[in-house]
Amino acid sequence: MAEGGEREELLSPSPVSPAKRLCSWPSPQAHHPRGSPGAASGGVGGVGGSCLAPGARPHLQPESLLDCAAKTVAEKWAYERVEERFERIPEPVQRRIVYWSFPRNEREICMYSSFQYPAGGGGEGLPFRRGIRLLDSGSVENVLQVGFHLSGTVTEAATTSEPAVTYKVAISFDRCKITSVTCGCGNKDIFYCAHVVALSLYRIRKPDQVKLRLPISETLFQMNRDQLQKFIQYLITAHHTEVLPTAQKLADEILSSNSEINQVNGAPDPTAGASIDDENCWHLDEEQVKEQVKLFLSQGGYYGSGKQLNSMFAKVREMLRMRDSNGARMLTLITEQFMADPRLTLWRQQGTSMTDKCRQLWDELGALWVCIILNPHCKLEEKSCWLQQLQKWSDLDVCPLEDGNYGHELPNITNALPQNASHSPDSLSRPRRTVFTRAIEGRELHWQDSHLQRIISSDIYTAPACQQESERLLFNSQGQPLWLGMPFPVSCARVDALRSHGYPKEALRLTVAIINTLRLQQQRQLEIYKHQKKELLQRGTTTITNLEGWVGHPLDPIGCLFLTLTEACRLNDDGYLENLVLLPSDMNESRPPVYQHVPVATGCPNSHESFLSLALEVALMGMGQQRVMPEGLYAQDKVCRNEEQLLSRLQELQLDDELVQTLQKQCILLLEGGPFSGLGEVIHRESVPMHTFAKYLFSALLPHDPDLSYKLALRAMRLPVLENSTSTGDTSHPHHMVSVVPSRYPRWFTLGHLESQQCELASTMLTAAKGDTLRLRTILEAIQKHIHSSSLIFKLAQDAFKIATPTDSSTDSTLLNVALELGLQVMRMTLSTLNWRRREMVRWLVTCATEVGVRALVSILQSWYTLFTPTEATSIVAATAVSHTTILRLSLDYPQREELASCARTLALQCAMKDPQSCALSALTLCEKDHIAFEAAYQIAIDAATGGMTHSQLFTIARYMELRGYPLRAFKLASLAMSHLNLAYNQDTHPAINDVLWACALSHSLGKNELAALIPLVVKSVHCATVLSDILRRCTVTAPGLAGIPGRRSSGKLMSTDKAPLRQLLDATINAYINTTHSRLTHISPRHYGEFIEFLSKARETFLLPQDGHLQFAQFIDNLKQIYKGKKKLMLLVRERFG
């Protein structure tokens, strides 16, 4: 696996042109006798006939030596080199070389005519599938192979809207690769069209039906002068409209001795194959690649463009795995378009970060370049060329940074991390790292290490019997090889490079060595921790030993190893084409992978491991690593996203006994792992939480080892970044992190997501522990200790309540009590903070307490002041507790009802004393069945009336008292309310008007004395003329004292406006009209003249009530005319109406 010139050059960024090389005419002595013309007219098979297809040979019949040699030469050598090497090439040999030069693997045709299965979401419209249908329907005809050129026609069948169309297709090929394609359909796409696919598959599947001719130059060589002239004239005649100008031009040049065409030996032959200097790679339409990428980028991740770009990345990986040089070439084209994206400049100028979808695409781009640079079979010249290009891109100002445009960098991948490195927030001195930096750092990595060579070359490489001192560190105690000397992510990048470039076995061997190294490191870390355990536990904190976490890492080391191992265990993984062709696309995408245990081939006889158990083990080790939370929103979000991706892959594994044993063993190691494990006893304050990971472990372990599963999940419940800070109040929103973690820079942007995952873990445990009192109590304590968000605790309480009260079975009282405990904690947490769900929470708690029983209701009523505000306690809690619905629900007897009612009355009076403005009315309502309590509540309301109660609150209580049959008390409260009111002259729509009218009606109904007492308050508080006139009118309609108060008699006489108390009200009303009139005339506009005249009409009605009213109104009008004579139009209207 050494680099450099020892390897064949496979990758090249240069473009490919159709094979057209010059063919000279050697002397007849240098060639074999040509034979008759009929010898050149046979099929593909050779002399005078046809050859069996490669798969149609008689059973067990070996290939001929000629075919074996021709296959190798056709794949490796340009035909020009064959002609130069051998002076005499027998015609049968030429035919077999030409025959075997066409591609033989349908998978390669598929690769260039469809997105990778299944990432591209293969559909019925894929060119490869359509090509197969065209082939199967007999649409391919007139197939002819002339040398290294294949032609034919493909007919698209007629449809209801389109007639049948026949397309001419031409394919050039060389060394088992298609080098150019042409189709009459004018296809503009990255991939070959269905017609090219159909013709290619026809040649692969039905070679015996293809007419084969040697290159046209060989046929022309056999002709004499007359035959050549006839050939040319017939050719011109058949295509004279197309070729005649060209033919005449060529004839003129040939007849001219000084022409350029005569200075060159031979002539071009498009059917003679490629020259020695031509690049040998598959045809790839570079312009279409650029256009497609540019289009997808312009769509900004919408309309499925992100999926399309990911499919193009998958196509690059597929090409690399097939060791196709177009992989690096296509990635270069994609990168050029990415770097030319105009949004990069815009984001830089605006100082904003790119979208998450775009960031993920850039991450994949960077990871692919790491694979390219670590290509184990490339030449040093190629690697140097790529590195120069990467450095050029990386030096551009617009090149995206690795950490998501925050500038906080990670350590160099080629340097091991210091064990006790401090996490400094100062990132200004760190070097600038772009998405290409890791690939550029790969310049120092090579494959020439002898130990590495032995690891990837053999399954049975073990420690030698007599080890030298330097060799002891290279093997573990079982003699298995280790791979040390570089950071874990870099070692995994080597694995990814091997796997991506078509070396699956080598990748597996290196993976096993890396895992053995991780195991040894884990063992040594445990030994170190045992010596430091006492000190760490006393101190209660630890340092982070892994600043560069493996989950969310740009190189995705854990995902790389996991995929490498599981791919070796997949069933039916070779059915690529069969799946792509035969199965519907929706079945392809939805079918989960099926795995089997494949033993690890090692040199140790006692090893019984499988690749599948290793995959599980390395995933658990990586996800359980204690690591610091990275800085920046994108990096933190990437940690969460990568963890979810790894867990979704783990959930595809069907846990059998062997995998369960691996799971148990690794979970125990994680619990005992100290500061090296995120599930250890002591972790750093800024350690990434393990909630999501622990939820998977809990669910997977629960059926097999409940004690271990609960121990692990309870350990993972902690969230030190919140617990180790001196915070108070609710932290259910991200902005609370400003006060919760004042020393953190930057903040934990994903805190809300992390807390929700913590809640999910707790909910999972609550569900599983239903009916187990001891476990539920332990889980409850963990929730109360570790969860700091009231909204999440409330969610847990609701979840517990639902689980405890199923509709189809009996109630679980233990879990119901847990729900109540959590609800009570929510009440205490949110009592002094603003929470928009608070009312919902209070109502839910009362419902939960009702479900628990009467004792729970009594308890919350008695301890209301620690749980509720006075308003909540009276209007919601107490009112619901004594409601008829609650009594029926609990089937309460009389003593229990009385106990609840007594507690509710006590609560009501306490709340009324604490907050009379809000609770007085509720207290009266709750106490109305108990005379003493009712009197106490009324007195509280009276005492508070002179204090902070508003007129609306007092009017409401007054109306309630009247409704309950206490009119005199209602009058007293209404009088107090009136003294708090102030109604201006222009407030004729004030909401208190109805209360004023009701108060006046109440006093009028009580009698003359009460009315006389209220009118001075009305005159003082109300200055709106229309309201006063309305009160005056109502008081003169009926006689006072009709309320029927015991001991009082009504005179039955209507009251006069000329006498007290209505005279005072009349004068106040007339004065209000006068004042209001002057106020309105000060700023009146013509459009309000009509309204003003109507207002004066209402005023006249009031003026006319006393005997001298008409004189008083006339004088008032005269005064208006004199004062506002400048408003001529208005005064004219006044004269017309009032004289």
Side-chain angles (χ1 to χ4, degrees), residues 21 151 175 184 213 294 378 575 581 669 709 733 759 954 1111:
R21 64 181 178 86
S151 61
R175 284 168 273 182
R213 304 289 187 273
K294 187 176 181 179
C378 75
V581 175
L669 288 172
S709 64
H733 302 287
C759 175
L954 289 170
L1111 296 175

Side-chain angles (χ1 to χ4, degrees), residues 860-888:
I860 64 172
L861 288 173
Q862 291 176 342
S863 58
W864 70 268
Y865 45 87
T866 64
L867 305 171
F868 314 107
T869 64
T871 304
E872 293 167 347
T874 54
S875 63
I876 301 176
V877 182
T880 307
V882 297
S883 66
H884 186 65
T885 305
T886 303
I887 293 171
L888 290 178

Side-chain angles (χ1 to χ4, degrees), residues 97-118:
I97 293 175
V98 169
Y99 168 77
W100 288 113
S101 292
F102 195 83
R104 309 159 200 165
N105 190 344
E106 290 188 11
R107 185 164 186 165
E108 293 174 320
I109 306 297
C110 179
M111 182 168 70
Y112 280 92
S113 57
S114 62
F115 280 119
Q116 184 189 32
Y117 166 76

Side-chain angles (χ1 to χ4, degrees), residues 95-171:
R95 289 184 175 280
R96 300 313 291 160
I97 293 175
V98 169
Y99 168 77
W100 288 113
S101 292
F102 195 83
R104 309 159 200 165
N105 190 344
E106 290 188 11
R107 185 164 186 165
E108 293 174 320
I109 306 297
C110 179
M111 182 168 70
Y112 280 92
S113 57
S114 62
F115 280 119
Q116 184 189 32
Y117 166 76
E124 291 301 319
L126 283 178
F128 187 76
R129 289 189 177 183
R130 290 178 50 225
I132 289 177
R133 289 200 299 272
L134 289 171
L135 177 63
D136 293 341
S137 62
S139 300
V140 182
E141 297 174 315
N142 306 318
V143 182
L144 173 67
Q145 178 179 340
V146 179
F148 297 87
H149 186 273
L150 183 71
S151 61
T153 59
V154 180
T155 303
E156 291 271 13
T159 63
T160 54
S161 58
E162 298 288 341
V165 183
T166 299
Y167 299 106
K168 294 181 179 179
V169 184
I171 299 174

Side-chain angles (χ1 to χ4, degrees), residues 725-731 736 739-740:
S725 59
T726 55
S727 62
T728 57
D730 187 12
T731 59
H736 285 102
S739 59
V740 171

Side-chain angles (χ1 to χ4, degrees), residues 56 112 132 154 166 208 254 471 510 538 566 626 634 716 719 833 865 947 960 1025 1079 1081 1093 1127 1129 1131 1133:
Y112 280 92
I132 289 177
V154 180
T166 299
D208 56 321
I254 290 173
E471 292 179 328
L510 183 55
Q538 287 176 347
T566 52
Q626 185 182 180
Y634 178 74
L719 189 54
T833 61
Y865 45 87
Y960 167 79
S1079 296
L1081 284 173
I1093 296 300
K1127 301 182 184 295
K1129 186 175 181 181
M1131 291 303 107
L1133 294 174

